[in-house]
Amino acid sequence: TLLASGLIRDFSVAIDGGAHVGCWSDLMRERFERVLAFEPSPAYANLLHNARDWPNVECHNAALCDVKCRVESFSGKRRTMTSRLVRKVSQGGIPGRTVDSLKLDRCGLIKLDIEGWEYPALLGALKTIRRTRPFVLVELAGHGKRIGYGDQMVRDLLDREGYDELF
């Protein structure tokens, strides 16, 4: 698996962007000292927070974005159990924050599976990425098109930062 592949060298902190019910957080908690799980859906964040006895996992009901903001989310069909961010809003919604606002000295892994918001989240993580050089795992499934961010924008950003694409 990725966590045992040797590609990750720093097992201090992992970020699970789009944690959902905690599948990746569960894997991360076994290897990392600290896992920061971000899930914008209040229902899934609550489930992750309350149903797990994982002392090294911190669950945040928040979205990862390019700036501090408020975002509106939409929960998908019941059987798919998905949620996605719709847009930034001036009031209500859920908190959006940047990875950089965490002010991490160390970070070994940033995983983003956030239904098209990967590009803005990476913009909000650039200082951390440049400082800590974590392994970056990003879902590229074309979801960003609906909000103006193509997968190629993510690839180009990571390429400019010196990352190689792995499949």
Side-chain angles (χ1 to χ4, degrees):
T1 69
L2 170 66
L3 298 179
S5 68
L7 294 171
I8 299 171
R9 293 185 179 95
D10 179 355
F11 288 91
S12 58
V13 177
I15 295 172
D16 186 0
H20 197 245
V21 295
C23 296
W24 273 93
S25 293
D26 188 18
L27 294 171
M28 292 172 177
R29 75 178 177 87
E30 295 175 0
R31 297 291 304 266
F32 287 86
E33 295 168 25
R34 183 176 174 210
V35 176
L36 304 175
F38 292 86
E39 174 51 50
S41 163
Y44 299 138
N46 192 44
L47 178 67
L48 178 59
H49 179 75
N50 291 328
R52 311 284 191 215
D53 183 25
W54 299 341
N56 62 331
V57 177
E58 299 170 29
C59 183
H60 301 268
N61 181 207
L64 293 176
C65 296
D66 52 342
V67 294
K68 180 180 177 181
C69 62
R70 304 291 297 179
V71 294
E72 184 178 72
S73 67
F74 164 78
S75 291
K77 297 176 183 168
R78 187 176 183 92
R79 65 189 161 99
T80 61
M81 294 184 66
T82 60
S83 66
R84 63 175 51 149
L85 302 180
V86 179
R87 63 181 170 264
K88 293 177 184 173
V89 293
S90 58
Q91 299 179 39
I94 56 163
R97 63 185 304 179
T98 67
V99 169
D100 290 341
S101 71
L102 301 170
K103 301 197 182 309
L104 299 171
D105 292 324
R106 297 175 61 201
C107 182
L109 173 64
I110 297 176
K111 172 251 166 193
L112 300 173
D113 180 357
I114 49 181
E115 304 302 316
W117 286 74
E118 289 81 5
Y119 182 75
L122 285 170
L123 290 177
L126 281 177
K127 290 178 184 174
T128 302
I129 289 170
R130 290 173 180 157
R131 186 175 55 255
T132 65
R133 302 304 294 170
F135 189 90
V136 178
L137 177 65
V138 180
E139 178 194 44
L140 296 177
H143 299 306
K145 288 181 197 174
R146 66 185 161 73
I147 52 174
Y149 305 112
D151 289 350
Q152 192 59 48
M153 294 172 73
V154 172
R155 287 185 176 100
D156 291 345
L157 176 69
L158 290 173
D159 183 59
R160 284 192 303 273
E161 294 303 317
Y163 280 81
D164 294 322
E165 188 170 348
L166 302 174
F167 296 95

